[in-house]
Amino acid sequence: QVQLVESGGGLVQPGGSLTLSCAASGLTFSTYAMGWWRQAPGKARESVAFIPSRDSTTNYRDSVKGRFTISRDNSKNTVYLQMSDLKAEDTAVYYCKASSGFLEYWGQGTQVTVSS
């Protein structure tokens, strides 16, 4: 079955950096667009970053532009989210999502807490 496993979350001070990873299995990874989403307590889940299956065009929500970078390594079936200059408002559970047509799969999430 399809599995998406996120890792790399944790506690970091404001201004710090973290890199999240999402390892995929059970699917043809290179044919799926990948995205990172997040959900803060009491708030709706929101899209953070997106990378399509084939080209390198990426998209980010405005609040993370210039601070977050999404990338993928199709040879490792893994998508990454490099986060820098982290702010308290980045605190959330971060999820990766794989999508292809009407198919979509979610990981279980990894907690990122930005606090001094």
Side-chain angles (χ1 to χ4, degrees):
Q1 72 277 22
V2 175
Q3 281 193 311
L4 301 177
V5 180
E6 300 98 335
S7 60
L11 173 65
V12 62
Q13 293 186 339
S17 300
L18 279 177
T19 296
L20 306 183
S21 300
C22 172
S25 60
L27 51 74
T28 305
F29 182 75
S30 62
T31 67
Y32 281 74
M34 299 299 297
W36 284 97
W37 293 64
R38 67 186 181 188
Q39 187 166 21
K43 294 188 177 182
R45 192 172 296 191
E46 61 185 21
S47 177
V48 175
F50 173 84
I51 186 166
S53 60
R54 297 195 178 275
D55 61 40
S56 59
T57 304
T58 55
N59 286 289
Y60 302 91
R61 71 181 303 105
D62 286 347
S63 62
V64 308
K65 283 180 181 177
R67 301 188 298 121
F68 290 12
T69 301
I70 187 171
S71 62
R72 64 190 296 160
D73 186 339
N74 288 344
S75 69
K76 295 183 179 179
N77 288 2
T78 302
V79 62
Y80 305 95
L81 185 67
Q82 296 173 276
M83 306 184 293
S84 62
D85 190 23
L86 283 160
K87 308 176 186 298
E89 52 264 40
D90 295 317
T91 294
V93 178
Y94 283 71
Y95 300 88
C96 70
K97 174 185 167 183
S99 55
S100 178
F102 295 107
L103 296 174
E104 62 178 44
Y105 303 99
W106 292 88
Q108 83 290 346
T110 185
Q111 176 71 47
V112 172
T113 303
V114 184
S115 174
S116 55

